[in-house]
Amino acid sequence: GEASNFKLIGGTINAIADVDVLLHFGDNSGGKRPRISYNIDISHVTVNGNNRVGTTLAVFNGQNVNIGPAVLVFGFNKLGMNLVGTGAGYIHESWLGESAPGESIPNANRTAIAIAIGTQEHDCYVSNVIIYSAWTGVLSTNGGNILEGVHTWNDAGAFGGRGIVLMNGMGTVSHSYLDFTPIIVYEPKNVIISSTLFLGKANIVLSADAYNPLLSQSTMPESTLRFPVGKGNDNINENDGVMQGLTIVNNRFWAEETKGFGNDTIVIQGKFKKIVNTIVENNVADSIYTVKSTRATLSVAGEEGVKIISLDFSQYLLVHTVGIQHAVCTVQTPDPILYGVKPYNNLLIVKVMFATPLTNNNTVVTCTVDQSARLTPGH
């Protein structure tokens, strides 16, 4: 059977008892053919779990779900909003917090997920949402989900909190604002992260390991955001170690002027064996950051009498376990000279070899390299 036109518009809902789910829409009976609910519409509502509920708002097996505008959800212990079902969900112009607005709880005590988009939920759109406190801001599982204009802060980043988690290595994040909280991508294979601001120690973590649902807040490190997630345990399944179809471009890493907050822009976790059809470049960071990318350009001056000039890209390329796949080098010199580029042999060093020793001190060698293999010649 089917049902349609559920609407909740206006008002305030307060939890007065301990319950698993405060507001529940749709069929969660667990049958093989669940009842599909169409056109669920929730807007201009405040939902206060009073720290007595596991989940404040859940939608199961809903098609064409609208949550927003002007929805405030807070006071949950597990999940703020949970979408599990078919597709076409839309969460927008909303605020979420594990704690109440203005309430301060220690970062290390945060345990909840503000927005969870479940395994069967696809083509979901999260737009213009502020998450002001949680352990995890948004947990997304499907590559068709798009997150745009998401601002996450107070997500306990220094204690292992996560701003956005792309659980199955797929999805799109754009025009968002990660405020001292990371984006974590497990087994990246179809991801776009673009035009997003990373403030302070916020960064991107690319994990070769599979997402581990048993990895709880208590297992996260309490040190720094340089490695904001742990290596997990034996319950993590290793993938084939291929990073494929990843695009990270046009992002800004800002150290907040003179406050001195910096980080690696991208952190690699686990071991990647191969990079394919991946572009990580054109990201701008303040000088305090260590910028990582799949493409890099270096220039080295040559001295009179040398026959080999080496360019070491290990500080700039994204993955130390994957070699350079392609290099283009140019030589600027007042005296014409024959030269060649030595094969890379899976190293991150390019060597330019001259047919004869240099005859001057005005030679500059510039090389641009790519760490990603290409499946097609077109760029």
Side-chain angles (χ1 to χ4, degrees):
E2 299 177 349
S4 62
N5 297 324
F6 291 94
K7 293 186 183 295
L8 174 61
I9 302 175
T12 300
I13 299 173
N14 293 297
I16 58 174
D18 297 339
V19 294
D20 290 334
V21 181
L22 182 57
L23 291 180
H24 179 175
F25 295 86
D27 181 6
N28 190 32
S29 61
K32 292 183 178 180
R33 297 178 62 86
R35 191 179 187 186
I36 305 301
S37 300
Y38 293 93
N39 191 22
I40 297 175
D41 187 5
I42 304 167
S43 66
H44 299 87
V45 171
T46 296
V47 185
N48 178 8
N50 276 316
N51 302 115
R52 307 187 65 172
V53 304
T55 301
T56 47
L57 194 162
V59 179
F60 296 94
N61 298 301
Q63 183 77 23
N64 309 325
V65 177
N66 174 73
I67 301 176
V71 173
L72 171 62
V73 170
F74 63 92
F76 46 88
N77 298 321
K78 294 181 180 178
L79 298 170
M81 296 180 184
N82 187 22
L83 299 186
V84 180
T86 52
Y90 186 31
I91 302 172
H92 61 107
E93 279 82 37
S94 298
W95 303 266
L96 297 98
E98 182 175 347
S99 56
E103 179 185 358
S104 178
I105 63 175
N107 284 337
N109 294 343
R110 303 189 196 281
T111 60
I113 298 172
I115 297 176
I117 307 174
T119 306
Q120 302 303 317
E121 183 76 20
H122 60 84
D123 301 337
C124 186
Y125 205 101
V126 179
S127 174
N128 298 333
V129 169
I130 295 176
I131 299 166
Y132 62 84
S133 70
W135 171 48
T136 300
V138 181
L139 177 66
S140 175
T141 60
N142 191 281
N145 298 333
I146 296 177
L147 314 180
E148 183 178 34
V150 176
H151 180 191
T152 65
W153 54 288
N154 279 346
D155 294 338
F159 295 89
R162 299 89 59 90
I164 295 172
V165 176
L166 302 182
M167 197 176 83
N168 292 324
M170 300 182 289
T172 298
V173 179
S174 69
H175 297 89
S176 294
Y177 178 11
L178 280 296
D179 191 339
F180 279 76
T181 62
I183 293 177
I184 302 174
V185 183
Y186 291 93
E187 299 182 288
K189 49 185 171 285
N190 183 22
V191 174
I192 299 173
I193 300 174
S194 66
S195 304
T196 289
L197 173 64
F198 295 84
L199 179 64
K201 290 185 176 294
N203 58 3
I204 301 170
V205 178
L206 304 177
S207 176
D209 297 322
Y211 176 79
N212 180 10
L214 301 179
L215 198 61
S216 65
Q217 190 264 0
S218 62
T219 67
M220 294 298 169
E222 299 183 5
S223 53
T224 69
L225 274 174
R226 184 168 292 276
F227 301 99
V229 291
K231 291 185 177 181
N233 52 40
D234 293 337
N235 294 300
I236 288 184
N237 298 317
E238 292 186 0
N239 69 349
D240 56 7
V242 178
M243 180 188 299
Q244 183 166 342
L246 179 65
T247 302
I248 301 177
V249 297
N250 302 332
N251 298 291
R252 177 72 169 99
F253 296 83
W254 182 37
E256 210 169 4
E257 304 300 344
T258 60
K259 293 187 178 180
F261 297 116
N263 210 342
D264 288 355
T265 57
I266 302 176
V267 170
I268 298 297
Q269 185 179 51
K271 184 178 181 179
F272 287 99
K273 303 173 185 177
K274 191 175 182 179
I275 304 175
V276 181
N277 274 9
T278 291
I279 301 173
V280 180
E281 66 173 350
N282 293 339
N283 298 296
V284 177
D286 293 348
S287 59
I288 194 171
Y289 292 89
T290 300
V291 179
K292 300 290 186 177
S293 61
T294 54
R295 296 176 177 176
T297 300
L298 274 178
S299 295
V300 174
E303 298 179 355
E304 182 178 354
V306 304
K307 290 190 66 176
I308 299 176
I309 293 180
S310 297
L311 297 91
D312 187 352
F313 288 87
S314 59
Q315 183 180 348
Y316 312 103
L317 290 178
L318 185 61
V319 181
H320 284 177
T321 53
V322 177
I324 293 169
Q325 304 301 308
H326 181 70
V328 175
C329 299
T330 60
V331 177
Q332 294 175 286
T333 179
D335 303 319
I337 191 170
L338 293 175
Y339 69 94
V341 179
K342 188 175 181 180
Y344 330 122
N345 295 328
N346 290 327
L347 297 176
L348 301 181
I349 296 175
V350 171
K351 292 186 178 182
V352 177
M353 308 178 68
F354 301 100
T356 58
L358 294 179
T359 59
N360 62 80
N361 291 319
N362 298 316
T363 298
V364 177
V365 174
T366 300
C367 292
T368 296
V369 301
D370 194 338
Q371 203 174 22
S372 175
R374 297 284 171 180
L375 297 182
T376 61
H379 281 214

